[in-house]
Amino acid sequence: MEIDYGFTLLDGDARRQYINAREVFEAVRAAEVQARDYEGTIRWRATSGSEYLIRVSRRGTQRSLGARSPNTEAIYETFFVKKNAVEERLEGLRKKLELNTRLNRAQFLGRVDSTVVGILNCLRDAGLQDNTLVVGTNALYCYEAAAGVRIEREHLATDDLDILWDNRKRLTLATREKLQPSGLLGLLKRVDKSFELKATPDLFTAVNRDGYQVDLLRRAGPGSDKEPGRMSEHADDFWAVRSRNADWMLSAPKFDSVVVGDDGAMAKMTTIDPRAFVLFKMWMSGQKDRDPIKKHRDKNQARLVTKLIEEYLPHLGFDELVSFPADLREAVITFSQ
């Protein structure tokens, strides 16, 4: 079924496969979270003539759960029953995920560059999912997945990934520990070893052998000078560049969907609300210093997402985005006509 404004509806078989694959993916992620409660092990230890139940973490740290008693014996038995059950469930779900990865390829559901999918999963594994947002053209993949459509490739062509970092939020200790050995650049190298810092004075961009770039952005508003400029203290890590009006995007509602890579693998992409995307692109297209070619693309993408909201996400109202100027919100009505 052809639809105006640059997107087409997924056919029934592809839609069903995406829904099934998404459910399995989300079940795997939920099971992985549950499995973290049972990482490491517990064991009995004799000390000064008494036995104590000891919890040993995955990193080897230990803490006592108390002297041997009916209560600690019950904890010991229950721990291994639940640990085995969770691990067995996770193993089964991962097999289903592998099958659905192949089925995604068979149904040609792959849309996102596999490098992007790998980076999203790597950021999640490092605990950065609540501190980062995908912004820019790649966000369109998130919107099309939620709406069950395919956006025409001419609107999606991009060779870079823009990650907006909310550096006002403190990173957890676990995340800082994962970043410290090699920084954010080290995380990218886990996905593609060829990622290196681009040879520029400010070192804001990482690029791989295929020319795919990753930029880390941060807000430029009041007080931003006092906020960290890079995620780790590692000497080889790259810096976040200030982005104009990033505060608008950080204050807007968040939006996420499960996206499918061109190899069939999946990842959860979190970005800005599609209404915020429209408003930001409209603002960008009106900037005098904006490249004329990019201005034209900004307008086309804003119009496309506006129509996508009207067709498939009609519950979203532009008046709710109070972080954006009122005159910009009001302009959407004229813009979409």
Side-chain angles (χ1 to χ4, degrees):
M1 174 182 176
E2 293 293 330
I3 304 175
D4 291 334
Y5 305 107
F7 50 88
T8 56
L9 188 65
L10 281 177
D11 65 41
D13 289 341
R15 185 182 291 266
R16 282 190 291 273
Q17 171 53 32
Y18 172 74
I19 292 172
N20 291 337
R22 181 183 63 191
E23 289 177 351
V24 173
F25 175 83
E26 290 175 341
V28 168
R29 289 293 182 249
E32 287 174 342
V33 171
Q34 189 178 15
R36 292 193 195 112
D37 293 335
Y38 298 96
E39 288 181 337
T41 189
I42 58 177
R43 62 169 66 104
W44 297 107
R45 173 180 294 169
T47 304
S48 302
S50 299
E51 280 190 304
Y52 293 86
L53 187 59
I54 305 298
R55 177 68 188 264
V56 184
S57 73
R58 181 171 55 85
R59 297 184 181 87
T61 58
Q62 302 179 14
R63 64 184 178 91
S64 174
L65 299 179
R68 187 157 198 157
S69 67
N71 181 54
T72 53
E73 287 177 351
I75 292 174
Y76 181 85
E77 293 178 5
T78 301
F79 177 87
F80 287 105
V81 169
K82 291 185 175 181
K83 180 181 175 72
N84 292 336
V86 168
E87 290 178 347
E88 184 176 331
R89 171 175 166 75
L90 184 55
E91 182 181 1
L93 285 170
R94 282 175 171 164
K95 289 180 179 178
K96 287 185 178 180
L97 186 60
E98 290 177 6
L99 172 61
N100 276 277
T101 298
R102 295 195 296 271
L103 292 174
N104 287 344
R105 292 199 298 269
Q107 285 289 343
F108 302 103
L109 286 176
R111 300 284 288 164
V112 188
D113 191 300
S114 59
T115 300
V116 173
V117 170
I119 291 171
L120 292 177
N121 284 325
C122 205
L123 290 174
R124 175 196 172 274
D125 292 342
L128 286 164
Q129 69 274 8
D130 294 329
N131 300 83
T132 55
L133 295 169
V134 171
V135 294
T137 296
N138 276 290
L140 295 175
Y141 291 113
C142 189
Y143 307 146
E144 72 166 15
V149 303
R150 281 195 175 107
I151 294 173
E152 293 177 4
R153 286 291 185 183
E154 64 182 273
H155 301 288
L156 294 165
T158 181
D159 58 0
D160 69 321
L161 173 65
D162 290 332
I163 300 172
L164 178 59
W165 172 32
D166 189 351
N167 61 349
R168 299 169 300 178
K169 297 180 179 179
R170 289 180 59 85
L171 300 178
T172 65
L173 176 60
T175 296
R176 293 200 301 271
E177 288 177 349
K178 289 177 181 177
L179 280 172
Q180 192 50 43
S182 56
L184 179 61
L185 181 62
L187 295 185
L188 299 183
K189 284 179 172 289
R190 294 182 192 177
V191 179
D192 184 336
K193 293 180 180 179
S194 69
F195 269 113
E196 296 290 349
L197 291 181
K198 196 172 182 179
T200 61
D202 298 315
L203 300 178
F204 290 134
T205 300
V207 59
N208 70 3
R209 67 168 69 89
D210 298 318
Y212 198 90
Q213 298 186 165
V214 177
D215 292 305
L216 185 65
L217 313 178
R218 63 185 175 111
R219 74 187 197 96
S224 61
D225 289 339
K226 299 179 181 179
E227 295 161 355
R230 58 180 179 176
M231 287 187 176
S232 77
E233 297 298 324
H234 196 276
D236 294 330
D237 210 2
F238 62 108
W239 294 83
V241 62
R242 290 185 178 90
S243 178
R244 288 187 298 174
N245 286 334
D247 285 303
W248 289 357
M249 293 186 282
L250 291 173
S251 300
K254 305 302 181 286
F255 192 88
D256 60 65
S257 293
V258 175
V259 297
V260 183
D262 50 27
D263 59 356
M266 291 174 283
K268 187 178 218 179
M269 180 183 288
T270 301
T271 183
I272 59 175
D273 186 287
R275 297 165 295 178
F277 180 92
V278 171
L279 293 170
F280 194 79
K281 285 291 183 175
M282 286 177 61
W283 175 79
M284 288 289 287
S285 70
Q287 300 307 296
K288 293 181 180 180
D289 59 348
R290 184 70 165 164
D291 183 299
I293 295 176
K294 291 183 178 180
K295 278 188 178 185
H296 180 70
R297 192 181 196 198
D298 291 335
K299 290 179 180 178
N300 284 342
Q301 289 181 338
R303 183 171 286 109
L304 183 152
V305 176
T306 299
K307 291 303 177 182
L308 188 148
I309 291 170
E310 291 176 353
E311 292 278 348
Y312 296 105
L313 305 168
H315 59 286
L316 299 177
F318 284 91
D319 288 341
E320 300 168 12
L321 295 183
V322 295
S323 60
F324 285 79
D327 58 343
L328 192 56
R329 286 180 275 137
E330 291 169 1
V332 174
I333 298 175
T334 303
F335 180 79
S336 61
Q337 293 175 346

